[in-house]
Amino acid sequence: MRELLPEEKPIKMSIRPIANSMNYKNNMKKILVIEDEEIVRANILEILESGSFEAIGAKNGLQGVQFAHQQVPDLIVCDITMPELDGYGVLKLLRQNPLTLTIPFIFLTARADKNEIREGMELGADDYLTKPFRRKELLGAISARLEKDAAYRERYAIALEQYKTELNYSLHYDELTKLPTQLLLREKFQELYRETPANQTLAIMLVGLDRFEQIAEALGHAGRDNLIQEVVCRLIGSVSFNDTMARLNTNQFAIILAPGEEERDSQEVAATILDTLNQPFGLDRHEIPVIASIGIATAPHDGDDLDHLIAHAQTALSHARKLGSNQYQFYTPDIQGVSLEKLTLEASLRHALERCEFLVYYQPQVELLEGRIVGAEALVRWQHPERGLVAPGEFIPLAEESGLIAPIGEWVLREACQQVKRWQANGLPAVSISVNLSFRQFNQPDLIRRLVHILKETSLDAAYLELELTESVLVQNVEAAKRRLKAIKAQGVKISLDDFGTGYSSLKYLQQFPFDTLKIDRCFVRNINSDTKNAALTTAIISMARGLHLNVVAEGVETQEELTFLCQQRCNTMQGYLFSRPVSADEFEEMLRRGKTLSIPKSDRFGNSFFF
């Protein structure tokens, strides 16, 4: 038996090219052995060396977890009975980390107790070996498990590619109408805008179906879908083959009129669409009237990017509805309109920071292995002295328009970091904090300096901070965004992609940007048990994220059925009203003190039945 290296470092055995019938196909597989008895550990390492494996030894559970996170071995052999942290504790910690979540795990035990074996299997163990065991038994168990893991990974790789294909299609095309989504519309707009001659304009129309909610309620789910499909057929018949049409939401469609040899009048196209849709639709022996309104914006006159053009076309659409519906309206600055109430609210907003009127609420994020709180999302609230609590949907857009979102966002970031530090100082369980970054904040030239200053000022370890960004923030300038995200990561701060799939999602962004977490938007989680599209998309997103070693947080979880589905798909974390609404700092602290946990049925935990 050769002399062991110092225990403070991973023990790496040299590999001898021995022809061995038990040798696994890939003879460079890395095995981590966690065993507190030095003689037993040394013997196992020696056996593994003779079996052409790269072997790493850990003298206790804590060191084993550390080595597993650092080395990410292909398989782990672990003793159950160890001081400080036993084998069950090791496995539980490893199954919580995306990097070590799927590593095959074999327990070593001196007792073949059924209860002991059952407990390990529920935690996700793959096999058991009872001491003492022979060389052949050890190598056989390891080889069998590695071969099974390789077969799974091969199947998983194929399935992942299928998931990517399905997800890409779902993100680019609406399932009901087969029309492009806003993502594909964006790509087509950029292509058309580059190709449009300087002396021509590019018109974009928004077609909105008025009073559609009432019509849909009367028709029911199936009738609503049938009506939408009939509307799409008429819209397609009203435009040119070269035009691009997309479905933006339930009752709104966008059309880009392609410039060509014959300069078509967008007014004529809009009038044709309104006349066509104005004819009653025959559904189930009933005549259904549909009234539409259209807003039109043109590039480059009204903007040179899709976001501004859609926003301006939406303003024109809203104005057309105010004028009585069943008509079209071109965007002009004078129809933008600023109400006196909005101006008054903006004036109050400008003084809200100095008057300490903002509050930070915290919505718990719960990991789905044990149901405990592991983090929170920081959400700003405005306590207006006269109006009371102002809804975020009312003042956040106003803050963005006025440029006040940057100082407000920086205040939220500082306050959230200070609060986490207070909880830590009070001896409460360590939690991370997620804070949203606005477009203006993210593009500040001195963002990194401001971030470093806040971390230093609050004395918060950067590992407890996660910055959330939406896709729309990142896609404006991809190369600049990558450089900025790399600088943020260099500070030790984690990065989360918020609202994945809601607007401009593309799988290439997940591979280009250094994300740590992927947040699944509420729209995918809602009615996940009855909506097959949402179920398929959520399954694909979780599987894809797991393949990319990303933590997954499902937002807006409100029902037990949604929770069960997410657990079955091995989603890491959730937040939503099923556990808690956003609460004040004091209420959140009380949750941590009480050790509040999410009740997860035993069959829904990350046990053997859901472990691949």
Side-chain angles (χ1 to χ4, degrees), residues 363-364 379 381 522 554-560 562 574-583 596 598:
Q363 184 165 36
L379 300 164
R381 298 290 186 263
R522 168 63 185 155
E555 295 184 288
V557 181
E558 296 182 356
T559 68
Q560 190 67 37
E562 292 168 355
M574 64 79 76
Q575 69 182 82
Y577 279 28
L578 180 65
F579 183 78
S580 173
R581 58 182 174 79
V583 296
K596 181 179 178 181
L598 178 66

Side-chain angles (χ1 to χ4, degrees), residues 139-157:
L139 293 180
I142 290 174
S143 295
R145 185 52 51 186
L146 287 175
E147 288 175 3
K148 184 175 180 180
D149 184 63
Y152 159 71
R153 292 185 183 279
E154 184 177 350
R155 293 195 304 272
Y156 177 80

Side-chain angles (χ1 to χ4, degrees), residues 14 135 146 168 396:
S14 60
R135 174 182 182 278
L146 287 175
N168 259 329
I396 292 295

Side-chain angles (χ1 to χ4, degrees), residues 205-366:
M205 295 182 173
L206 287 193
V207 181
L209 307 182
D210 301 340
R211 299 186 297 107
F212 188 77
E213 292 78 9
Q214 295 92 319
I215 296 174
E217 185 176 352
L219 293 176
H221 183 80
R224 178 201 66 185
D225 288 351
N226 289 337
L227 178 59
I228 287 293
Q229 290 172 333
E230 290 295 326
V231 166
V232 168
C233 286
R234 293 195 187 182
L235 287 174
I236 291 174
S238 303
V239 298
S240 165
F241 178 78
N242 293 321
D243 295 336
T244 300
M245 185 161 65
R247 188 185 186 194
L248 299 186
N249 54 46
T250 303
N251 62 326
Q252 199 169 88
F253 304 87
I255 301 171
I256 300 177
L257 301 181
E261 311 82 29
E262 302 176 5
E263 187 69 26
R264 290 177 297 154
D265 188 339
S266 54
Q267 299 183 59
E268 293 180 5
V269 177
T272 300
I273 291 174
L274 291 176
D275 289 342
T276 301
L277 296 181
N278 205 26
Q279 304 301 315
F281 289 78
L283 292 175
D284 295 331
R285 300 188 301 277
H286 296 287
E287 287 194 347
I288 309 299
V290 171
I291 300 175
S293 298
I294 298 176
I296 308 171
T298 59
H301 182 264
D302 299 323
D304 56 5
D305 66 88
L306 189 64
D307 289 333
H308 283 94
L309 288 169
I310 287 181
H312 289 157
Q314 184 68 61
T315 299
L317 173 61
S318 298
H319 191 66
R321 282 174 171 161
K322 290 178 182 177
L323 295 176
S325 295
N326 196 35
Q327 56 185 294
Y328 59 85
Q329 176 71 48
F330 283 85
Y331 171 78
T332 56
D334 60 304
I335 68 171
Q336 185 76 43
V338 179
S339 66
L340 179 60
E341 182 183 4
K342 183 177 179 181
L343 289 173
T344 303
L345 190 64
E346 181 180 337
S348 297
L349 187 63
R350 290 185 178 277
H351 298 290
L353 261 181
E354 61 189 61
R355 294 171 179 168
C356 301
E357 294 172 2
F358 288 114
L359 305 169
V360 178
Y361 273 43
Y362 301 87
Q363 184 165 36
Q365 296 177 334
V366 182

